Amino acid sequence: MAAPNSTTFSHLSFVLVGIPGLEPWHPWISIPFALMYTAAALGNCGLLLLIATQRRLHEPMFIFLSMLAVADLLLSTCTVPNTLAIFWFGFREISLNSCITQVFFVHFVFVAESGVLLAMGFDRYVAVCDPLRYTTVLTNEKIGKIATAIVIRSFCEIVPFVFLLNRLPFCASNVIPHSYCEHIAVARLACADITPNIWYSFAVPILTVVLDVVFIAVSYVLILRAVFKLPTKDVQRKTLSTCGSHVCIILLFYIPAFFTRLSHCFGQNIPKQITILLANLYMLVPPMLNPVVYGMKTKQLREQVSFVLSRKGNWC
């Protein structure tokens, strides 16, 4: 049988391997994955429910936190169920359109979550450096505009990935050595020049995520400068404690993200299964830990949780 003509033939589906090299361990790996995903879903849904139902939490800080919870839910849900289906049922095949859709949502939510963290940094800056104008600067209308800007920015930056992949013919292998569709992992299967894909995939983190990190760092430099001008150590400590949960979330989000990205680009000596395993854990660990970190470090959340539990206890 003659080989298909590469100029006219293109795969309409792909095969996801899961974690290459660890196929015999997939059923065992799925157990912690499922537990972490369940914890992430319950934690973030519980956080959203608490913020929505408790009027005392209808403040800018907690509105941004609810945005973060939505982003975490989307980030884990657009990849983990598909990964578990591979591990449990061997559902490895994914259509080209579904694969490109997953690429879009994975990168869209990542950029959006970075934007939410930047907005939360601005919230902490206003709360510490200009507390008297906090409620007038961060009104519900302005928070809505910030949320809209985050969504529009993410969409405009990520939608070119769809066009860059749609233009490619896939006439060689259709096996993706990953557990979900990632832009460059898919593009490398094309039998065409993928230079625009590589450069755009490199430019997006530089122009968005790195800039977000720079702006967050600048906001915390200004916050620290304002804190050290406060009269007593006790006041300084209390003020810094209001930023502690946000700093922890920043570290949980950006450190694994940069490590995963750098390992994909420059980690040729790192075993492939380790890189893919870390990429999967990145979709699970921050969404699972974010509600825990905020719950432990934010006094208002702890008080509201205690209030809700005590009220339910009285009903019983």
Side-chain angles (χ1 to χ4, degrees), residues 41-55:
L42 291 176
N44 286 288
C45 287
L47 190 61
L48 287 170
L49 182 63
L50 184 68
I51 293 172
T53 57
Q54 300 302 309
R55 202 172 271 277

Side-chain angles (χ1 to χ4, degrees), residues 155-171:
F155 180 84
C156 292
E157 290 180 356
I158 301 304
V159 77
F161 281 149
V162 175
F163 297 104
L164 287 170
L165 288 176
N166 269 324
R167 73 181 180 87
L168 296 174
F170 299 96
C171 51

Side-chain angles (χ1 to χ4, degrees), residues 89-105:
F89 310 113
F91 293 162
R92 300 174 184 272
E93 188 170 344
I94 185 171
S95 68
L96 175 61
N97 289 334
S98 297
C99 190
I100 293 176
T101 300
Q102 190 177 52
V103 168
F104 171 81
F105 277 104

Side-chain angles (χ1 to χ4, degrees), residues 92-162:
R92 300 174 184 272
E93 188 170 344
I94 185 171
S95 68
L96 175 61
N97 289 334
S98 297
C99 190
I100 293 176
T101 300
Q102 190 177 52
V103 168
F104 171 81
F105 277 104
V106 167
H107 292 82
F108 171 84
V109 177
F110 174 78
V111 174
E113 186 157 349
S114 181
V116 172
L117 290 175
L118 175 60
M120 294 173 80
F122 176 67
D123 168 78
R124 291 299 85 202
Y125 165 76
V126 177
V128 174
C129 299
D130 199 1
L132 297 178
R133 298 181 60 232
Y134 182 69
T135 54
T136 57
V137 171
L138 287 171
T139 62
N140 288 338
E141 181 183 357
K142 289 179 181 177
I143 292 172
K145 290 179 180 180
I146 291 172
T148 302
I150 290 171
V151 172
I152 292 174
R153 184 190 76 157
S154 303
F155 180 84
C156 292
E157 290 180 356
I158 301 304
V159 77
F161 281 149
V162 175

Side-chain angles (χ1 to χ4, degrees), residues 50 53-54 303-313 315:
L50 184 68
T53 57
Q54 300 302 309
E303 289 175 347
Q304 289 304 305
V305 170
S306 299
F307 172 72
V308 171
L309 292 177
S310 63
R311 190 169 60 178
K312 287 185 176 179
W315 289 346

Side-chain angles (χ1 to χ4, degrees), residues 15-20 175-179 185 189 272 276:
V15 176
L16 291 165
V17 172
I19 302 178
V175 177
I176 302 174
H178 212 305
S179 58
L189 300 178
K272 192 71 175 177
I276 304 302

Side-chain angles (χ1 to χ4, degrees), residues 31-63:
I31 296 173
F33 274 34
L35 292 174
M36 285 190 286
Y37 176 66
T38 302
L42 291 176
N44 286 288
C45 287
L47 190 61
L48 287 170
L49 182 63
L50 184 68
I51 293 172
T53 57
Q54 300 302 309
R55 202 172 271 277
R56 295 178 185 177
L57 299 180
H58 293 178
E59 300 176 4
M61 173 182 175
F62 298 106
I63 295 174

